[in-house]
Amino acid sequence: MKLNIRKYQQIQQQLREKNVTLVAVSKMQSVADIMVLYENGHRDFGENYVQELVSKFEQLPKDIRWHYIGHLQTNKVKYIAPFVHLVHGVDSEKLLIEINKQAARNNRVIDCLLQVFISKDENKFGFDEAELKTLMDKASIPGHFRNVRIKGLMGMASNTEDNDLIETEFKHLNELFVQHGASHTESIDFETLSMGMSADYMIAVNAGSNMVRIGSLIFGSRR
Ligand SMILES: *Cc1c(COP(=O)(O)O)cnc(C)c1O
């Protein structure tokens, strides 16, 4: 399998009608393939390896919006802090504190999504509901985080054929999103719900997602 521009255009049109942002997940894909999508007007790309992201940032046009979608190690934040557009997978307070610190060093405010653990897969990351609430409460204290803005939530459903289970998990995340969505402060500006990948993005969109992260359906299987 390889890059499928027609598929990309179909998905993009379908999502645009629903006001859903498409993040093209370009991890392990070539700079040349990313440029083909870029020439088609695409600007939002997602990566989940820091070194690879930095290397692609250096090689590619500077108006690309780079989304960091993977598990981010605290000691690597400094490499992406100068340019990252949105960090999807913030899964600990320690990480948020570090992003805040590195953003300050770069005179930036970095947009982040808090990752919530919604699935049955033990190997996934994210806050549980109580942890989410605790962090949201802290973040709503004026001046607590000056250089990060919590833009919403991100989650991954179970890796299963059971579409009902996937739907239940996404709906649950949407409920949390709506619940916390009332909070707007200097450091909280809830508007983005990132859920849905190649296999389950339509379920996610129907459950309330407004940002999907799609890789293999567009680029073909990863090399
Ligand atoms: C790889 C990845 C995706 C894209 O997966 P596909 O199944 O190729 O669409 C989405 N989100 C995260 C967090 C990923 O790591």
Side-chain angles (χ1 to χ4, degrees):
M1 287 235 294
K2 58 182 182 53
L3 176 65
N4 186 338
I5 278 294
R6 186 167 299 167
K7 189 80 195 168
Y8 160 73
Q9 286 164 339
Q10 270 171 14
I11 296 171
Q12 181 63 282
Q13 168 146 7
Q14 178 188 36
L15 293 174
R16 196 172 283 139
E17 283 164 7
K18 295 174 185 286
N19 284 317
V20 176
T21 301
L22 169 63
V23 177
V25 176
S26 49
K27 63 188 183 197
M28 292 189 267
Q29 309 293 353
S30 69
V31 163
D33 277 355
I34 295 174
M35 271 315 288
V36 176
L37 281 196
Y38 181 88
E39 301 291 355
N40 272 266
H42 202 75
R43 292 294 180 273
D44 290 279
F45 292 91
E47 295 278 338
N48 69 348
Y49 299 100
V50 168
Q51 255 190 326
E52 184 179 344
L53 172 53
V54 170
S55 155
K56 285 174 172 168
F57 165 74
E58 284 166 356
Q59 296 173 67
L60 284 157
K62 295 299 172 278
D63 61 339
I64 287 180
R65 294 184 286 269
W66 290 107
H67 297 245
Y68 190 84
I69 61 170
H71 177 63
L72 181 56
Q73 286 172 280
T74 314
N75 61 354
K76 301 223 168 122
V77 173
K78 57 178 177 283
Y79 301 113
I80 63 170
F83 66 89
V84 70
H85 172 69
L86 179 64
V87 180
H88 288 232
V90 176
D91 55 8
S92 72
E93 185 181 358
K94 186 171 151 239
L95 179 58
L96 195 63
I97 290 169
E98 178 65 14
I99 296 171
N100 188 57
K101 181 172 136 194
Q102 297 298 337
R105 283 197 179 153
N106 287 279
N107 284 313
R108 299 187 65 206
V109 174
I110 296 181
D111 288 344
C112 295
L113 304 178
L114 302 181
Q115 184 168 359
V116 184
F117 183 82
I118 53 168
S119 80
K120 303 264 180 281
D121 304 351
E122 285 302 324
N123 61 348
K124 296 209 167 89
F125 296 94
F127 297 103
D128 65 27
E129 277 176 53
E131 293 165 337
L132 176 66
K133 171 144 192 354
T134 305
L135 189 54
M136 289 292 290
D137 287 347
K138 271 192 197 170
S140 57
I141 300 168
H144 194 80
F145 291 115
R146 289 184 193 280
N147 293 83
V148 293
R149 199 161 34 216
I150 299 172
K151 298 292 283 186
L153 302 179
M154 177 266 201
M156 295 168 86
S158 296
N159 187 4
T160 172
E161 305 277 292
D162 182 351
N163 286 348
D164 292 339
L165 177 61
I166 294 173
E167 186 184 4
T168 304
E169 293 171 349
F170 282 152
K171 280 187 170 163
H172 176 55
L173 186 57
N174 185 49
E175 276 165 24
L176 292 173
F177 178 69
V178 171
Q179 194 180 311
H180 288 284
S183 23
H184 286 274
T185 66
E186 186 192 355
S187 57
I188 302 175
D189 179 17
F190 246 50
E191 57 181 40
T192 303
L193 178 55
S194 167
M195 59 184 194
M197 328 192 343
S198 289
D200 57 20
Y201 79 96
M202 276 318 293
I203 305 176
V205 168
N206 289 328
S209 168
N210 60 22
M211 186 175 278
V212 297
R213 311 173 309 271
I214 299 182
S216 43
L217 211 53
I218 294 170
F219 286 100
S221 52
R222 286 176 278 276
R223 291 166 261 269

